[in-house]
Amino acid sequence: QVQLVESGGGLVQSGGSLRLSCAASGRTFTFSNYAMGWFRRAPGKEREFVAAIAWTNSTYYADSVKGRFTISRDNAKNTVYLQLNSLKPEDTAVYYCAVPRYSDSSYFASKNAYDYWGQGTQVTVSS
């Protein structure tokens, strides 16, 4: 079993920045061996892929956030981060971190390929 706890959400003006954190834990979970992903769900919409980072530190982004968001990880702290810059009102959503079932990056954008999810953290961007 893996526990994921997100933090860092909040209310920010358009053009502002936030940094989200996701702390992972589990008795038999070796964080450094796993890829990690971030998803978001806006009101009335499906949960969508935002970014992922492989255990190799290779990174992957949705086109809508490329160049504005940065995913990173600190294996010593069992934590994955998502830096959100140049925020837009359409970035308003609940942001979730998750652990994918496979290390193959071709699965990273599919929410059905993730086994463990955090409770989410709300990001609200005002215009």
Side-chain angles (χ1 to χ4, degrees):
Q1 197 74 358
V2 179
Q3 292 78 45
L4 302 171
V5 179
E6 301 97 335
S7 61
L11 173 64
V12 63
Q13 288 189 332
S14 183
S17 298
L18 284 173
R19 188 174 84 152
L20 308 183
S21 300
C22 171
S25 63
R27 194 168 62 88
T28 61
F29 179 65
T30 303
F31 180 80
S32 58
N33 291 347
Y34 286 84
M36 297 293 295
W38 284 96
F39 284 73
R40 67 185 180 186
R41 183 168 59 199
K45 294 188 176 181
E46 295 288 320
R47 192 173 299 196
E48 65 175 2
F49 172 74
V50 175
I53 184 166
W55 67 270
T56 59
N57 283 331
S58 295
T59 56
Y60 307 84
Y61 296 95
D63 288 342
S64 59
V65 307
K66 203 170 291 184
R68 300 188 299 122
F69 292 7
T70 302
I71 189 171
S72 61
R73 64 192 299 158
D74 184 337
N75 289 337
K77 296 182 178 180
N78 284 9
T79 300
V80 60
Y81 303 98
L82 188 66
Q83 178 69 39
L84 288 61
N85 294 333
S86 303
L87 281 161
K88 306 174 182 180
E90 51 263 44
D91 294 318
T92 295
V94 178
Y95 285 71
Y96 302 87
C97 68
V99 181
R101 187 175 310 127
Y102 308 112
S103 60
D104 186 338
S105 61
S106 64
Y107 293 95
F108 287 172
S110 171
K111 60 181 181 292
N112 295 323
Y114 286 73
D115 286 329
Y116 301 101
W117 295 85
Q119 83 289 348
T121 186
Q122 176 71 48
V123 171
T124 303
V125 184
S126 63
S127 56

